Amino acid sequence: MLRRVMIILWSSFLVAIIAEGCFFSLFDPHEVFIAERQIELSGLAAYTLGFFMFWGCCALSSSLTYYLLRTPSNQVPD
């Protein structure tokens, strides 16, 4: 069980690093608006919050992929 969780978290961590790098190379954290309101965060706080949001989304995606691969009804015949 712990091995599965670590596989999901590690792979999603690596993808979150790439996603954050791509996102923040295109957008300045001080110019990001949410619901037409500018967020009032320092640059470091915006990068940190963005990273954890990307990591959470990637972990959810990895978990769903793992679940769908392990479901017996979705077994693909060889």
Side-chain angles (χ1 to χ4, degrees):
M1 175 68 177
L2 180 62
R3 185 172 189 271
R4 288 183 229 152
V5 171
M6 292 308 297
I7 289 171
I8 290 169
L9 289 179
W10 181 246
S11 62
S12 61
F13 178 80
L14 295 175
V15 175
I17 291 171
I18 295 169
E20 182 176 13
C22 292
F23 181 82
F24 285 116
S25 66
L26 296 174
F27 300 103
D28 182 17
H30 298 292
E31 296 177 1
V32 175
F33 290 87
I34 297 175
E36 299 181 7
R37 297 184 67 192
Q38 187 173 10
I39 55 174
E40 303 284 332
L41 294 175
S42 68
L44 184 60
Y47 293 133
T48 303
L49 183 63
F51 174 75
F52 282 114
M53 289 175 53
F54 282 124
W55 195 10
C57 290
C58 293
L60 184 64
S61 174
S62 296
S63 299
L64 181 61
T65 301
Y66 183 81
Y67 172 75
L68 291 174
L69 287 173
R70 299 291 296 174
T71 304
S73 63
N74 292 330
Q75 295 285 331
V76 178
D78 292 328

